[in-house]
Amino acid sequence: MAKQDLEFNKNEDVNKQAWDAILAKLKTIEQGGGEKSAAKQKAKGKMLARERVNYLRDKNSPWVEIGAFAGFEMYEEHGGCPAAGVVGGIGYVAGKQCIIVANDATVKAGAWFPISGKKNLRLQEIAMENRLPIIYLVDSAGVYLPMQDEIFPDKEHFGRIFRNNARMSSMGIPQIAAVMGSCVAGGAYLPIMSDEALIVEGTGSIFLAGSYLVKAAIGENVDNETLGGATTQTEMSGIIDDKFPDDKSCLDRIKFLMDKMGTFETAGFNRKEVLKPKKKVDDLFGILPDARNKPYETKELIRCLVDDSVFEQYKEDYGKTILCGYARIDGWAVGIIANNREIVKSKKGEMQFGGVIYSDSADKASRFIMNCNQKKIPLVFLQDVTGFMVGSRSEQGGIIKDGAKLVNAMSNSTVPKFTVIVGNSYGAGNYAMCGKAYDPRLIIAWPTAKIAVMGGEQAAKTLLQIEKSRLKKLGEEISPEAEKELLDRIIAKYDKQTTPEYAASHLWVDAIIKPTDTRLWLSQGIAAANNAPVETFNVGVIQT
């Protein structure tokens, strides 16, 4: 067997094992609060959150789950918060693409942890950016009181959700809420601020204060059903539109309502017949190296992802450490900006490191972004970047100016942006290649992603130099043993914080996906973005 084939097979084994490890964690996350909690919900005649979502969705339709890893290995002293206690994503109901948000009552009775609020706001953000209808399946005990200071009062906390309800209503974005369990205190505003509100008899209840709080506050003895059950809120207060005997009949009404919904103005992105890549999509596992510091042919990676494996490059012979070009993904026309991980020669014949952004590559990418905005073509960023080139030659050549030009063009781009973190995502490279801070419509990571201000080894060496300088000023020296201990400690900390699981748990990325599912995610993202007209592009002031 040729050396190249052995390398391919080794890469394939390592990368498939990395996905298998992610998949095993996802299966655990999907269990929510565990079997005992699930059994309690079932005993009440309720469907579980994922069962509700699956019943509501059109059969055999695409589904991309947002934030499954949110809360991963967080709040362990509180018993954990799998998937942030919320199941949510982009799916189809009665043929209409929409956002579905379902509280998971098996996780602390659906109580809101800080990460729960962040995840709900992210799902609302996707709905607002893409003008997608949003369906809330409410079953929550409200704010998790032991952490109320981290979820209640700030701008991006719990209250922002109701502000978004009001904003979406004014934007004409349909919202449907089903009260399928508890809906308490501030959380009671969410269904009432939706366009239509439904409730399940016997299990659904909605009130500003439950019976215990009412007793404590005003001395009244009243049970929860009388206080805010289905009969009270449909026949007496009139705040809920309709009541239903069980979960399925309530979900059937949502399908009925979605089926009557009209369409809105679209962005008009170009789409043609879908062609599968000529190159095997599974080859992604073998092309990507088994280590993040090894070069590989990025063009081959792209050809596994795009229709008919056709990738037409823009300025192919200039700024070679970034690849720019036109392609189609699932029929949609896209502009692709990818860090080239091959070691290449510059126009002056100098060797350039793969995955590093140089002045010429930043200049090329800036121009390409402007062109795609001019032509109304969505942008796809494939990140495997260690940062911008440093050193006296780069500084004298204006690397900061060219980097700023790229950040400016990317930040002001009005066509939708989608980011796939393939490998490294370090420092300013993360920013320039449309990291989370730059509003990609979706940002997803492969199991091979590494996200941090710099790699663990580089960080450790930098901090070690700082510590040596400090000790030198004091007339001391660090011992070899202490130096190794410091290096090992910093590397271990950084390595944990650079994993895709860590990024996904904090919602720095929307999901960790199987590389072969990348086409599905991008296609669904562009389909969603096509629901919202594109604004006029203007980059403002750019130094040239």
Side-chain angles (χ1 to χ4, degrees):
M1 184 179 286
K3 181 180 178 182
Q4 188 175 356
D5 293 332
L6 286 170
E7 192 72 22
F8 184 95
N9 291 340
K10 182 183 176 183
N11 294 342
E12 191 174 43
D13 289 344
V14 169
N15 291 322
K16 284 187 175 180
Q17 286 171 15
W19 169 248
D20 287 342
I22 294 293
L23 189 59
K25 291 170 184 173
L26 279 171
K27 288 180 178 178
T28 301
I29 289 167
E30 288 173 0
Q31 301 306 308
E35 290 183 9
K36 286 185 178 179
S37 294
K40 287 180 181 179
Q41 296 299 314
K42 292 281 193 180
K44 296 175 184 178
K46 296 163 69 175
M47 300 169 71
L48 303 181
R50 291 185 181 276
E51 291 175 342
R52 289 168 174 168
V53 171
N54 289 335
Y55 182 82
L56 181 63
R57 288 175 43 231
D58 295 347
K59 288 183 178 179
N60 302 317
S61 64
W63 166 251
V64 293
E65 183 173 349
I66 304 295
F69 264 94
F72 179 71
E73 294 186 342
M74 295 169 67
Y75 316 118
E76 291 183 341
E77 68 277 20
H78 297 273
C81 189
V86 181
V87 179
I90 305 173
Y92 289 81
V93 176
K96 304 288 192 309
Q97 193 180 37
C98 60
I99 298 289
I100 304 173
V101 185
N103 298 116
D104 185 352
T106 69
V107 180
K108 298 288 185 184
W112 291 60
F113 283 71
I115 195 66
S116 311
K118 187 173 183 179
K119 181 171 177 177
N120 277 268
L121 289 172
R122 174 59 179 147
L123 289 160
Q124 286 186 323
E125 180 184 42
I126 293 171
M128 294 169 79
E129 285 181 330
N130 301 292
R131 295 183 64 87
L132 289 179
I134 185 166
I135 298 167
Y136 307 100
L137 307 181
V138 186
D139 193 346
S140 172
V143 166
Y144 183 61
L145 292 179
M147 303 186 75
Q148 64 85 25
D149 61 319
E150 297 182 47
I151 179 64
F152 168 65
D154 210 345
K155 181 178 179 181
E156 298 296 333
H157 282 179
F158 193 61
R160 188 78 171 182
I161 290 165
F162 315 128
R163 175 264 188 193
N164 286 349
N165 287 141
R167 291 289 302 128
M168 280 190 276
S169 183
S170 71
M171 294 167 67
I173 298 172
Q175 300 174 82
I176 301 172
V179 179
M180 310 186 81
S182 297
C183 190
V184 185
Y189 285 104
L190 186 147
I192 309 311
M193 295 186 74
S194 298
D195 302 324
E196 301 193 55
L198 318 173
I199 192 168
V200 178
E201 293 180 281
T203 54
S205 59
I206 177 169
F207 35 64
L208 290 181
S211 56
Y212 293 126
L213 183 54
V214 168
K215 174 66 175 176
I218 64 173
E220 181 184 1
N221 288 306
V222 61
D223 62 86
N224 283 339
E225 188 64 26
T226 303
L227 192 63
T231 299
T232 297
Q233 302 295 26
T234 56
E235 297 180 20
M236 299 175 71
S237 72
I239 67 170
I240 298 288
D241 301 321
D242 291 293
K243 61 182 177 180
F244 300 87
D246 53 36
D247 282 8
K248 285 187 176 181
S249 58
C250 184
L251 295 170
D252 285 338
R253 176 57 64 91
I254 295 174
K255 296 178 185 181
F256 174 87
L257 294 171
M258 289 292 290
D259 183 57
K260 307 301 178 289
M261 200 172 291
T263 57
F264 302 93
E265 181 186 358
T266 66
F269 299 131
N270 186 292
R271 193 180 195 188
K272 290 188 175 179
E273 177 189 358
V274 177
L275 298 175
K276 292 182 179 180
K278 284 182 178 176
K279 196 170 180 63
K280 290 181 181 177
V281 179
D282 277 349
D283 282 357
L284 290 169
F285 290 108
I287 294 168
L288 199 66
D290 60 346
R292 302 283 64 77
N293 59 352
K294 291 184 179 180
Y296 60 90
E297 292 187 63
T298 307
K299 290 188 290 291
E300 293 305 299
L301 205 74
I302 294 171
R303 290 185 180 118
C304 293
L305 296 173
V306 300
D307 289 17
D308 207 31
S309 296
V310 173
F311 176 58
E312 291 291 336
Q313 285 199 63
Y314 168 82
K315 291 183 178 287
E316 183 176 358
D317 297 322
Y318 176 71
K320 294 181 180 180
T321 64
I322 287 184
L323 301 176
C324 299
Y326 302 103
R328 289 188 182 275
I329 292 177
D330 204 38
W332 295 104
V334 295
I336 295 176
I337 300 171
N339 301 111
N340 187 10
R341 284 307 309 269
E342 293 182 88
I343 297 173
V344 298
K345 283 187 178 180
S346 72
K347 57 184 180 292
K348 296 178 182 178
E350 300 163 338
M351 300 305 294
Q352 293 185 336
F353 298 104
V356 178
I357 302 175
Y358 291 77
S359 285
D360 53 358
S361 50
D363 173 62
K364 177 173 82 171
S366 304
R367 294 274 296 274
F368 184 68
I369 289 168
M370 295 180 204
N371 282 349
C372 286
N373 274 270
Q374 191 81 347
K375 299 169 185 173
K376 204 154 70 171
I377 301 173
L379 289 164
V380 173
F381 292 82
L382 301 179
Q383 282 197 15
D384 195 348
V385 58
T386 53
F388 284 84
M389 190 59 191
V390 296
S392 59
R393 177 174 291 186
S394 292
E395 297 294 355
Q396 291 164 12
I399 186 68
I400 296 175
K401 175 191 68 179
D402 290 314
K405 183 177 6 177
L406 172 54
V407 171
N408 191 324
M410 182 271 301
S411 300
N412 285 299
S413 173
T414 56
V415 295
K417 306 183 293 269
F418 301 90
T419 302
V420 183
I421 303 178
V422 171
N424 299 321
S425 179
Y426 291 149
N430 169 282
Y431 295 166
M433 292 293 293
C434 196
K436 177 70 172 180
Y438 295 86
D439 297 326
R441 297 293 178 96
L442 290 174
I443 178 168
I444 51 182
W446 289 1
T448 45
K450 296 286 183 184
I451 306 165
V453 70
M454 63 178 71
E457 190 173 342
Q458 297 96 315
K461 288 179 179 178
T462 302
L463 291 173
L464 182 62
Q465 290 300 320
I466 294 170
E467 180 65 8
K468 281 184 173 180
S469 297
R470 185 185 72 82
L471 291 172
K472 188 175 181 181
K473 288 178 182 178
L474 298 174
E476 302 175 20
E477 287 188 9
I478 189 168
S479 68
E481 294 78 15
E483 180 176 327
K484 184 180 185 305
E485 183 186 348
L486 178 62
L487 276 170
D488 290 346
R489 188 169 68 247
I490 297 170
I491 289 172
K493 179 183 177 182
Y494 264 75
D495 283 350
K496 181 176 181 179
Q497 292 180 347
T498 61
T499 63
E501 294 98 319
Y502 191 88
S505 71
H506 292 76
L507 285 173
W508 300 343
V509 297
D510 292 317
I512 306 170
I513 71 163
K514 189 176 184 180
T516 50
D517 288 339
T518 305
R519 280 170 56 85
L520 168 68
W521 275 79
L522 293 175
S523 175
Q524 289 306 304
I526 298 169
N530 199 41
N531 290 291
V534 175
E535 297 176 4
T536 304
F537 176 63
N538 184 354
V539 294
V541 176
I542 290 184
Q543 290 192 30
T544 58

